[in-house]
């Protein structure tokens, strides 16, 4: 005969606070607000209607007109901002289209500011990779290496062009040494001290950038491992963020997000300014592909993904789900 087991009832029962949806909402430690979300948007020169991006279902390359509609919706939803990327018809070795006041990105900035005013923070990518025929983020030396300091001079010009177009915040993303200091000095010297900087501080040479290459029609061959960070290095990510704070960054960013949640937390603990994280194209595409195959609950996965990034310490999240997520988190 089996002996009766004497089970003592637990005194402490954490499950009590999980019993109903209302209880779970009341004690939730992490919240994601629409104002913490930034929508990255692509605008392509020379098209009259949006062009779908095959590797990023639901995301498009906008025309200038459709861009206006997209940012108006973002403003109505109460998003924190939009990050603009330009795709030119013509590229060259120095990425001159990014500096040209009549270039697609600078025109898009002016369009968006005219459309939404100060209802959204208008951000712009400050990098040459979309505009160079070799696809790198900087100017090349004769032997094909990215010339850090010559690239800094181009970034300073690009910052001034974006500021003249009316941007609120520039996003130097090329991972050149000293990029934040040069951009800050150029802006201040030209009377644009009000323009803020969201620094791509810890940007890793990630396999998850793949779909983005289609989104911006990248011309890159090879990789960017000589200037983007090694995925093995977390301490270095913190060091890069601290350097950017010293150089005048207003926000520091970790990119990608999901494979670098530990770096987001380390950076959040190390700096005293807001921390952003970019939920990138490959992270988006993985969820969309799995959901399309019926393998996961799409909406639940979106909410869980963005909540995890926020929980890791990100104050601001750049995500292609921003508009949809604003509605999901309101439920």
């Amino acid at each position: 005969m089996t002996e009766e087991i004497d089970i003592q009832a637990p005194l402490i029962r954490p499950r009590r606070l999980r019993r109903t949806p209302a209880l779970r909402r009341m004690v939730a430690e992490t919240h994601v607000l629409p104002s913490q979300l930034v929508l990255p948007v692509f605008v392509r020169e020379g098209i009259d209607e949006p062009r779908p991006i095959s590797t990023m279902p639901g995301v498009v390359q906008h025309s200038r007109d459709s861009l206006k509609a997209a940012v108006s919706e973002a403003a109505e939803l109460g998003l924190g901002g939009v990050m603009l990327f330009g795709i030119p018809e013509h590229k060259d070795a120095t990425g001159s289209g990014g500096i040209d006041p009549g270039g697609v990105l600078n025109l898009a900035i002016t369009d968006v500011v005219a459309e939404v005013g100060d209802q959204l923070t208008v951000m712009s990518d400050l990098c040459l990779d979309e505009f160079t025929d070799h696809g790198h983020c900087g100017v090349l030396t004769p032997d094909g290496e990215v010339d850090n300091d010559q690239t800094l001079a181009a970034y300073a010009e690009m910052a001034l062009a974006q500021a003249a177009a009316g941007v609120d915040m520039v996003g130097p993303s090329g991972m050149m040494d000293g990029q934040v200091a040069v951009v800050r000095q150029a802006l201040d010297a030209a009377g644009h001290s009000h323009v803020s900087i969201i620094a791509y501080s810890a940007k890793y040479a990630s396999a998850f950038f793949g779909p983005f290459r289609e989104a911006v029609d990248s011309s890159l061959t090879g990789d960017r491992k000589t200037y983007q960070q090694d995925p093995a290095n977390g301490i270095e990510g913190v060091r890069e963020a601290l350097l950017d704070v010293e150089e005048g960054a207003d926000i520091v960013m970790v990119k990608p997000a999901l494979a670098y949640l530990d770096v987001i937390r380390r950076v959040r603990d190390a700096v005293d300014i807001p921390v952003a994280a970019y939920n990138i194209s490959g992270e988006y595409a993985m969820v969309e592909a799995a959901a399309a195959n019926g393998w996961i609950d799409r909406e639940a996965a979106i909410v869980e993904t963005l909540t995890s990034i926020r929980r890791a310490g990100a104050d601001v999240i750049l995500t292609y789900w921003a508009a949809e997520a604003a509605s999901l988190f309101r439920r």
Side-chain angles (χ1 to χ4, degrees):
M1 183 173 173
T2 306
E3 286 190 23
E4 209 172 291
I5 300 172
D6 183 18
I7 298 177
Q8 294 201 349
L11 176 64
I12 298 171
R13 294 180 182 269
R15 285 183 56 194
R16 291 190 189 109
L17 297 183
R18 304 175 195 146
R19 192 173 59 84
T20 68
L23 274 167
R24 293 193 295 272
R25 283 196 306 272
M26 185 178 71
V27 300
E29 299 173 18
T30 305
H31 299 86
V32 181
L33 304 175
S35 59
Q36 296 167 325
L37 303 176
V38 172
L39 178 66
V41 285
F42 306 101
V43 57
R44 185 183 184 109
E45 188 174 23
I47 61 173
D48 297 322
E49 58 185 24
R51 183 173 296 183
I53 300 167
S54 66
T55 51
M56 299 174 67
V59 181
V60 301
Q61 295 173 336
H62 282 286
S63 68
R64 286 177 65 186
D65 284 339
S66 70
L67 174 65
K68 295 175 187 177
V71 299
S72 292
E73 180 192 28
E76 290 170 7
L77 290 168
L79 298 187
V82 290
M83 173 64 80
L84 303 176
F85 296 87
I87 305 158
E89 284 190 287
H90 305 289
K91 305 178 183 184
D92 59 29
T94 61
S96 62
I99 296 167
D100 180 1
V104 61
L105 179 54
N106 294 321
L107 292 176
I109 292 168
T110 301
D111 288 343
V112 172
V113 171
E115 189 71 21
V116 299
D118 59 3
Q119 296 176 70
L120 283 175
T121 303
V122 180
M123 309 175 182
S124 53
D125 183 52
L126 200 166
C127 195
L128 297 179
D129 59 321
E130 295 105 297
F131 300 95
T132 55
D133 55 15
H134 47 74
H136 277 288
C137 297
V139 182
L140 301 185
T141 64
D143 60 0
E145 296 292 322
V146 175
D147 186 319
N148 192 93
D149 295 0
Q150 191 177 352
T151 299
L152 293 181
Y155 285 2
E157 289 188 69
M158 196 171 183
L160 295 179
Q162 294 179 357
V167 78
D168 297 311
M169 183 177 290
V170 295
S173 62
M175 288 299 289
M176 296 297 116
D177 293 339
Q179 62 184 13
V180 172
V182 165
V183 168
R184 183 73 274 157
Q185 290 163 10
L187 290 170
D188 290 354
H192 298 298
S193 59
H194 62 285
V195 175
S196 50
I197 297 175
I198 179 169
Y200 288 62
S201 300
K203 183 177 180 181
Y204 287 85
S206 173
F208 294 103
F209 288 137
F212 183 87
R213 305 278 163 82
E214 180 195 351
V216 297
D217 280 6
S218 174
S219 304
L220 182 69
T221 56
D223 58 52
R224 298 184 173 123
K225 293 180 180 179
T226 64
Y227 46 102
Q228 292 179 354
Q229 282 189 246
D230 186 337
N233 295 349
I235 294 172
E236 185 185 26
V238 177
R239 181 188 184 211
E240 289 276 13
L242 290 172
L243 285 170
D244 284 349
V245 172
E246 289 178 15
E247 292 178 12
D250 299 286
I251 300 175
V252 291
M253 188 193 298
V254 177
K255 181 180 181 180
L258 285 184
Y260 301 90
L261 295 175
D262 61 317
V263 180
I264 296 171
R265 171 46 56 191
R266 291 188 196 189
V267 170
R268 174 64 284 164
D269 291 343
V271 305
D272 58 2
I273 64 174
V275 174
Y278 199 141
N279 174 217
I280 67 167
S281 60
E283 297 166 352
Y284 173 93
M286 286 192 302
V287 171
E288 293 292 339
N293 279 283
W295 298 336
I296 59 172
D297 179 329
R298 179 179 175 277
E299 290 188 353
I302 292 170
V303 169
E304 187 174 344
T305 295
L306 299 181
T307 300
S308 75
I309 298 168
R310 179 82 180 93
R311 189 185 66 241
D315 304 291
V316 177
I317 304 172
L318 283 74
T319 176
Y320 302 100
W321 288 306
E324 181 178 3
S327 300
L328 292 176
F329 282 109
R330 282 198 177 100
R331 291 182 189 175

